[in-house]
Amino acid sequence: MSDDKTPFISCKNLSRVFVKKLDFAGKIARTLGSKIREEKVQAVDSVDLDVMPGEVLGLVGESGCGKSTLGRMLCGILPSSNGDIFYKGNNVKKMSTKEALHYAINVQMIFQDPYASLNPRKRVNQIIGEAPLYHGLTTKKDLDSYLEDVMLRCGLDPTYKNRYPHQFSGGQRQRIGIARAMAVQPECLVCDESVAALDVSIQAQILNLFMDLRKELNLTCLFISHDLGVVEHISDRIAVMYLGRIVEIASVEKLFSEPFHPYTQALLNEVPRLDKRDVDFAPLKGEIPSPLDPPEGCHFHPRCAHAMDICRKVIPEIKETAPGHKTRCHLADV
Amino acid sequence: MSNELLDIKKLETFFYTRAGIAKAVNGISLSVDKGEIVGIVGESGSGKSVTGFSIMGLVDPPGEIAGGSIKFKGEEIIGQTEEEWRSFRGAKVSMIFQDPMMTLNPVLRIDTQMIEAIRAHEKVSKKEARRRCVETLAMVGIPSPAERIKSYPHQFSGGMRQRVAIAIGLLNKPDLIIADEPTTALDVTIQGQILSEMQTLCRKTGMALIWITHDLTVIAGLAHKVAVMYAGKIIESGNVQEVLDEPLHPYTHGLIGSVPSRNKRGQPLYQIPGMTPSLINIPEGCSFRMRCPHADEICMKEPDETISDNGRMVRCHHPL
């Protein structure tokens, strides 16, 4: 069914709208003729994305750009408003129950906050062991040795398996989160800001763990982060999001050496680096606009130095400027 | 010597908790010159924020400044009366905190909070104070400050809120600003804006800045001098260039190695084994001993500060 050419997960035209329903008073006001309307946030706006088997795709963007929403939808834990998700070439919506279960197990998510994502009332062996036991990947009899394997692989001491999450440090908790995801032997991980809450030295440990696991098990990975340094380090390809749309996607080398979209260029300029000394900071002006009321045309035009008339009216199409390098900018047509 | 603004000598700030004495700041010495940007880098729990609080006289029980001295423009500030502290804070040194949502009062308009800060230190009319507030807001890059000053904190975005907090810090033209991770909660582009704002302010007004952060990469571009803290002690300090290019302490070396960078794409990052010790139970001798690849018997003894001619300090028996 799947070979190297079929994307592991892909989405076509995927959108998600969050609507804040009117309350009772609002509804009455509307019936009486008030111009009040429901507030809509287009968190993800017709995104096409392919995650190829075995690759690490980095997804970067500022807070509120919809990168977590996109990750959650690809993972199947948040329904989409529009568009399709394909798992190994099959439309998720048209899958049989058995296939859908396979998809649910095979794509696992690791969350940002290791303090909020672990149930404080469960012991580590319950947290990690519940899913594989339920899905029949191990038996009650073999559970102990199975747990031991998973914990060792994620750098946890198996003798701690009867402890509660609060007895661990932040880095170890993140390892528990990873172990929980790895316990069902997934082929794909969606990591949502998984190292953002950690100290530099702990972050390095977790990143190394990711890279080891990936090499060992040939994992496919969607790595969501706002930290370009981290994404650059571990990804093969990078997609840049701005206000619900993907504005540029390219291989790491290409994106960092020849960024095309003005937003990507600005973002790369902003990354503080160890080897950049005594910088004269020349920041991007303005802020990310409110997704409640996004600018027309290209979302980036109010902050863009190259904005033309067409940018204010027409949404640019996503275009291939070089093999494998796609961008959504009117400058690509010039 | 006349250029020296702040001189900290062997400062000790301890917290007397039920579980024992937490030595959050354990004998640090640091000096800041006029107009200088000093970075304090360390991981969570290394005592970098408590250092800032100690300078501001904001250490609350069970915490206490247990020893050492802090001299501001040659005058000792430890042991000031509460009244002296009040005229000191804000006017001579001010502090900017990590979370602007927590530092601004949510039920008061920005103008109320700002005017209050000016009139606490000076006898000026409300009108004059408001004029200065608007001026300061414009200085930190808030568009149409005259209207925006009438907003409540929740009407600002995170980056704008942090600017307001910075503006309040600047109102009384302090000689020194202590910034405690002010950009950690912000996006890269907004962080860039704030960094640029602070940099121009320091260059324009000759104000000194202590930038407390866990992010070495921010310090690299911003600061002149850097002090690396570990378990309540400064283990290395000096010129940013020198410390980052040729770190002498194994911990600094490890920290730099663990930052993902383009040179090492896809390569394993350097890992500092283990984790930061609890401040209540700091290991004897060198506190980094347990995690250090070069540790031997001599490290059981506490290393002294070695200071070279150009002001480079390291606290290690086996400097690299």
Side-chain angles (χ1 to χ4, degrees), chain B residues 27-235:
Chain B
I28 69 160
S29 302
L30 182 75
S31 75
V32 181
D33 288 346
K34 278 178 190 152
E36 195 175 36
I37 305 181
V38 178
I40 299 183
V41 190
E43 296 184 89
S44 358
S46 59
K48 53 193 195 307
S49 293
V50 177
T51 306
F53 290 140
S54 306
I55 301 170
M56 291 292 286
L58 289 174
V59 181
D60 285 332
E64 190 179 286
I65 295 184
S69 91
I70 305 176
K71 285 202 170 110
F72 186 78
K73 288 188 173 168
E75 278 173 46
E76 180 63 52
I77 58 171
I78 294 177
Q80 290 185 112
T81 61
E82 194 47 44
E83 198 139 321
E84 285 169 318
W85 271 120
R86 270 209 296 276
S87 63
F88 175 81
R89 282 183 212 128
K92 292 176 180 159
V93 182
S94 63
M95 189 157 179
I96 302 163
F97 301 89
Q98 174 169 353
D99 188 350
M101 202 61 218
M102 309 274 273
T103 49
L104 297 173
N105 190 332
V107 298
L108 294 180
R109 281 190 344 206
I110 301 296
D111 53 357
T112 323
Q113 303 189 40
M114 292 185 85
I115 292 170
E116 183 189 21
I118 292 187
R119 305 219 325 157
H121 291 282
E122 272 175 74
K123 280 210 159 122
V124 288
S125 70
K126 276 199 177 162
K127 208 170 146 200
E128 166 66 12
R130 178 180 294 271
R131 196 190 53 76
R132 260 173 57 190
C133 295
V134 173
E135 227 175 70
T136 319
L137 283 180
M139 202 156 78
V140 295
I142 290 187
S144 49
E147 286 94 65
R148 292 294 265 160
I149 196 169
K150 289 176 199 147
S151 322
Y152 286 92
H154 74 265
Q155 292 170 303
F156 287 92
S157 66
M160 283 296 159
R161 230 178 269 143
Q162 194 58 280
R163 279 165 209 258
V164 173
I166 293 172
I168 293 179
L170 291 171
L171 277 176
N172 293 294
K173 307 206 167 52
D175 300 302
L176 172 69
I177 285 207
I178 302 168
D180 187 3
E181 307 238 16
T183 58
T184 308
L186 304 175
D187 278 317
V188 247
T189 57
I190 309 298
Q191 166 171 296
Q193 292 171 1
I194 302 270
L195 287 176
S196 129
E197 228 67 82
M198 294 305 280
Q199 198 177 36
T200 9
L201 280 172
C202 286
R203 286 185 187 160
K204 246 196 320 214
T205 61
M207 184 178 70
L209 179 66
I210 296 181
W211 193 274
I212 299 173
T213 181
H214 67 277
D215 193 344
L216 272 172
T217 54
V218 171
I219 293 290
L222 182 76
H224 307 123
K225 214 164 80 177
V226 60
V228 184
M229 280 192 80
Y230 184 78
K233 290 198 172 80
I234 293 181
I235 48 108

